[in-house]
Amino acid sequence: MQLVRNSYIGGYGNMTNLFKLRKKRLKKIIKKPIGDQVLDVLNIAFLIFFCLLIIIPLLNLIAFAFSTGTSNSKVTFLPVGFTFDMFNYVVHESSFWRSLLNSVIITLFVTVFSNLFMAMAAYPLSKQDFPFKNIILIFFVITMLFSAGIVPAVLLLRGLGLYGTIWAVIIISINNVFNLLLYKSFFEGLPKETIEAAEVDGVNNFQMFYKIVLPMSLPVFASCAFFSIVGTWNSYSGALMFIGTASDKEAFWPLSLYIYDLLQRDPSSDPSSFLSTNLVNVQSASIIISVIPILVIYPFVIRYIKSGITIGSEK
């Protein structure tokens, strides 16, 4: 029995080697056209070039964050006068932690309510028999392409008594038509048999959405939620317009606006302070710290993003 088994394994190994040899011969016989080879080389060259465009500034930023201000003229891609003083200075600033908390609140509310409302709006629009579906969808798309402008938004927020607070940024950021289109495309691809079976069992629309559609839509929810988190966390324009950089509004600044204000500071205003000597280094350390929450979240949602990033491609 062992002899037969060894013979079988040996025969299988020989067949595998034959297939490999044949594959190598076919590769030699069937060569890529010169044009394809040139295109491959250009693609690799452009990929390396754009990777360097991202990596080189990042290495320079990290080098400044771990260097002393007196050595800035010597800093390239490695720290000079290695120190943690810049990070120590940032984390001991009360305004930094307050702005960090504001960013967490804004990002949490925008992510939850934006994705919930957009998904609820997309679900009926994904139904073929929904009345006036195309007309309603056009109105949504118009708001994505053309906005009413800053002045009407400011007047609305002032009328609501929310201007100058974090709630102004939250309300303005909730509407996201791009995510709505992603949800609509995904819902249209859900298996109709499951939906029809639930309808036969007497499930109403709200039960259908919360108990059947949402659990089946984790990839698109994870993708859109991650896009919302990154976009809201990094955005400072909304806070700049609807909160402002006035000193009396500092308590409402998100982290992005705090860093924006830090980047605008004049080091000559107080020559004797630690910040004036190490301003560039403190700015670099603040930017690095602000990226950490996104890097922490990313590994938990990457497996959903991989399947959700191709939403609608099969259609």
Side-chain angles (χ1 to χ4, degrees), residues 210-228:
Y210 288 108
K211 294 184 178 181
I212 297 176
V213 174
L214 291 190
M216 296 171 63
S217 306
L218 286 180
V220 66
F221 268 93
S223 300
C224 292
F226 184 73
F227 296 153
S228 298

Side-chain angles (χ1 to χ4, degrees), residues 150-162:
I150 304 301
V151 174
V154 170
L155 294 176
L156 174 63
L157 294 171
R158 285 189 184 278
L160 295 173
L162 300 176

